[in-house]
Amino acid sequence: MAEAGIGVDIVEISRFESILKKNPAFIQKMFTDEERSYCQASARPAAHYACRFAAREAVLKALGTGFGQGVGRCDVSVSRDDRGKPHAVLTGGAERVARDLGVVEVVISLSFTSDLAVANAMAIPADARPKPRPSKEDDRARIARSFKDARFVLDELERVQVQEDVSIDSDRLVEE
């Protein structure tokens, strides 16, 4: 049974502000095109870069490794789903490490203040993944089945009542 792993990292945003000014090539080397587009489009690019850097470190801590050991600087990145929720993208050495550990998903949470960026990561193996909740359609189907069963019972009671009424009426005719 594989174990879930957790990781957290905190980065000073002022560090990234300095890096952006002094060494813009660092941003080109460290971040994907998608990450750079997202960060540059924000009001505080340094804060978003710092969050993504913290996310890389947190993910590697959750996997129990660091840079090196076959894991490159761009093997972990941050993308966003259709609703804007960030998620970790693993490639290369990070993907290999996760697969070897039985990790099927790495969940992340990012946040920042005026001074600090923080990221949390949880590496989840298949056997520790929460079971999916029943979908609304499952609930609807269950409710519809319940109403259908109730209707059947009511129809059956009505049929029995009609048979008893007919039986009582035919008994009266026989007596007269």
Side-chain angles (χ1 to χ4, degrees):
M1 176 168 143
E3 292 182 21
I6 59 170
V8 64
D9 197 63
I10 299 172
V11 173
E12 293 177 14
I13 295 171
S14 60
R15 255 182 80 204
F16 270 83
E17 288 170 341
S18 295
I19 290 170
L20 285 170
K21 290 177 186 171
K22 293 177 185 176
N23 187 7
F26 173 80
I27 301 300
Q28 293 292 329
K29 290 178 187 174
M30 182 58 74
F31 298 96
T32 65
D33 291 341
E34 179 185 354
E35 289 173 309
R36 287 191 305 271
S37 294
Y38 175 78
C39 294
Q40 289 303 130
S42 72
R44 292 184 63 200
H48 292 277
Y49 281 123
C51 274
R52 277 143 185 78
F53 189 83
R56 283 168 168 68
E57 294 287 337
V59 167
L60 295 177
K61 289 174 183 177
L63 293 174
T65 185
F67 291 114
Q69 301 179 33
V71 178
R73 65 181 183 272
C74 288
D75 288 353
V76 178
S77 63
V78 177
S79 188
R80 296 163 53 91
D81 68 13
D82 295 341
R83 296 177 296 151
K85 179 181 173 186
H87 62 92
V89 177
L90 307 180
T91 58
E95 184 178 31
R96 180 189 46 76
V97 168
R99 187 178 50 248
D100 291 349
L101 293 172
V103 172
V104 295
E105 181 179 15
V106 179
V107 180
I108 60 174
S109 178
L110 310 175
S111 190
F112 61 85
T113 66
S114 60
D115 302 328
L116 299 171
V118 64
N120 291 292
M122 180 178 282
I124 304 171
D127 54 357
R129 179 179 259 170
K131 303 294 182 252
R133 292 181 185 167
S135 70
K136 291 201 184 282
E137 283 136 295
D138 291 341
D139 290 342
R140 286 185 188 138
R142 185 177 44 77
I143 291 168
R145 187 177 59 254
S146 174
F147 278 113
K148 186 176 179 180
D149 292 346
R151 181 76 252 166
F152 175 79
V153 169
L154 291 173
D155 289 346
E156 189 63 19
L157 287 172
E158 185 177 349
R159 187 184 62 75
V160 168
Q161 182 66 40
V162 167
Q163 283 180 343
E164 286 179 7
D165 288 347
V166 167
S167 175
I168 290 172
D169 287 344
S170 55
D171 286 345
R172 284 186 192 157
L173 288 174
V174 170
E175 289 175 7
E176 294 178 1

